[in-house]
Amino acid sequence: MNDNQILSTFHELTPTVPAAQPAPVLVFDACHIGVVLRAVLFVEVSLAVVCMYGATSLWDWVARVALVTGAALPGTLAWLLSACIAKRWLGAMPRAAQYALAITLGGVAGLYGCGLLALTGLLESPPWVSSLFSGAVLSSLLVAALVMRAKGRTPADTAARLAELQSRIRPHFLFNTLNSAIALVRAEPAKAEALLEDLSDLFRHALKDPSSSVTLGEELTLAQRYLAIEQVRFGERLRVQWDLDPRADRAQLPPLILQPLVENAVCHGVEPSPVGADIKISTRCKGTVVVIKVTNSVPAGQGARGHGLALNNVQERLALLHDVQGQFKSGLIDGVYQVRMEVPL
């Protein structure tokens, strides 16, 4: 099954139990490209609007924005770089101390930007006090945005994970697996034992305490166990091909994100077809990016369109973990369906 041209737009693409206390949140988590881009854009837009109040013409406004950018851009990047470098140290501090240090660092960044303009001679009388307070105000707004992003991640990630579990651990899958094991107990007891061990490991992995991320290698092991269970049920109808790059195994993914994609391939490709289907799972390490593809043939046709809950949850959780660095795309082309993900290494 040749899937090289699919999705080619990618770059080679009772008593009430008390609620658990949320884990400490690092408000200075500025080590994401998406955060950097949004922070720079926010500062530039804010200062461009402020410059409108004193501008006498369009060219005067452009000149003011260019001058202010010479101070704001280095100051913003210095703020973000400092926050990223000190990430682990800041994570051990109380929230109040993080907030205070964020605002203080913003003021220092404002002074740094003003100092650069003063050194170049572009300002006759540098506005030190205004730069200090401007940096502090802008940094406080950036911290507020980072805090909202961190708070929004925990419940959304938990809800998405629970939805994934409900769509994955389906009663009919459990019953089919147990029936297959019962049928094998007398004829092939060793195979029945292996089947039940795979089922046990699958559920143990699915029901363990959630974490923010796991490695791609762990997700591939889980997918292999799932397909080993389904292989007993479908036999020669399920044809699996693995094309794995060992260098990609250390990439970070949200937990339990690959198995529902493999399950979709089985449910929509193998199960409806009397001749079965081909499933291919491939990983590729390309520089600092890992490309993951789950591809399956659809001999019985596309069939009834599902709700797309599994795909939506996978896409949302990928965005929560990797922001703009995580890419997701899916599509059906010439009887072959593919899901393709890109994550940073």
Side-chain angles (χ1 to χ4, degrees):
M1 178 174 54
N2 186 2
D3 62 348
N4 291 333
Q5 301 303 319
I6 301 176
L7 307 183
S8 57
T9 54
F10 278 82
H11 298 292
E12 202 29 16
L13 248 171
T14 52
T16 303
V17 180
Q21 294 297 321
V25 176
L26 175 65
V27 300
F28 265 78
D29 192 4
C31 298
H32 288 276
I33 292 179
V35 172
V36 173
L37 293 176
R38 293 185 182 103
V40 171
L41 181 62
F42 167 73
V43 171
E44 287 296 311
V45 170
S46 299
L47 294 178
V49 172
V50 171
C51 289
M52 290 181 181
Y53 289 95
T56 57
S57 65
L58 176 61
W59 294 114
D60 182 38
W61 174 74
V62 171
R64 288 172 180 266
V65 171
L67 181 64
V68 171
T69 298
L73 186 57
T76 303
L77 294 178
W79 188 91
L80 292 166
L81 182 61
S82 301
C84 186
I85 292 175
K87 178 179 178 179
R88 293 188 178 180
W89 175 67
L90 290 167
M93 297 175 62
R95 284 175 176 264
Q98 292 189 48
Y99 298 149
L101 189 56
I103 297 173
T104 302
L105 186 59
V108 172
L111 293 175
Y112 168 72
C114 184
L116 290 179
L117 292 182
L119 288 175
T120 57
L122 295 176
L123 292 177
E124 296 181 359
S125 56
W128 298 106
V129 177
S130 299
S131 298
L132 172 67
F133 281 97
S134 296
V137 171
L138 288 174
S139 65
S140 64
L141 294 175
L142 285 174
V143 169
L146 290 173
V147 171
M148 291 178 63
R149 182 178 184 272
K151 287 183 177 180
R153 174 173 178 166
T154 300
D157 191 40
T158 302
R161 184 176 185 276
L162 292 176
E164 278 298 327
L165 288 175
Q166 291 174 354
S167 66
R168 181 179 307 104
I169 307 176
R170 299 170 181 169
H172 80 265
F173 167 68
L174 175 61
F175 296 150
N176 288 336
T177 303
L178 293 177
N179 287 335
S180 298
I182 292 172
L184 292 170
V185 166
R186 293 186 179 181
E188 300 179 80
K191 186 177 289 187
E193 182 180 358
L195 177 65
L196 292 175
E197 287 177 355
D198 286 336
L199 180 64
S200 175
D201 288 339
L202 183 66
F203 273 76
R204 184 182 301 113
H205 188 101
L207 298 175
K208 72 178 182 180
D209 292 337
S211 57
S212 60
S213 64
V214 296
T215 65
L216 174 58
E218 293 176 285
E219 286 293 291
L220 289 170
T221 299
L222 182 65
Q224 289 168 344
R225 292 192 178 279
Y226 171 78
L227 287 173
I229 292 172
E230 294 290 42
Q231 189 76 65
V232 174
R233 183 156 68 103
F234 292 107
E236 296 181 354
R237 291 171 58 196
L238 175 57
R239 299 176 292 276
V240 183
Q241 179 182 356
W242 299 89
D243 183 11
L244 306 179
D245 186 346
R247 298 174 300 169
D249 287 352
R250 58 190 178 91
Q252 295 294 309
L253 292 173
L256 300 169
I257 199 172
L258 186 59
Q259 189 270 338
L261 301 178
V262 176
E263 182 178 352
N264 270 3
V266 172
C267 292
H268 298 290
V270 180
E271 195 167 8
S273 173
V275 298
D278 299 292
I279 296 177
K280 181 178 180 180
I281 297 96
S282 65
T283 61
R284 278 287 178 274
C285 183
K286 299 181 178 181
T288 59
V289 175
V290 171
V291 179
I292 308 162
K293 295 190 288 185
V294 179
T295 309
N296 65 277
S297 58
V298 191
Q302 185 173 3
R305 186 178 181 85
H307 296 291
L309 295 178
L311 293 180
N312 290 338
N313 284 333
V314 167
Q315 187 172 6
E316 289 174 5
R317 296 175 65 206
L318 193 66
L320 283 171
L321 181 64
H322 292 301
D323 203 2
V324 296
Q325 292 176 284
Q327 301 294 323
F328 179 94
K329 195 170 184 180
S330 62
L332 177 66
I333 300 178
D334 297 330
V336 177
Y337 188 85
Q338 183 181 100
V339 174
R340 178 167 178 157
M341 297 182 290
E342 292 186 6
V343 297
L345 185 60

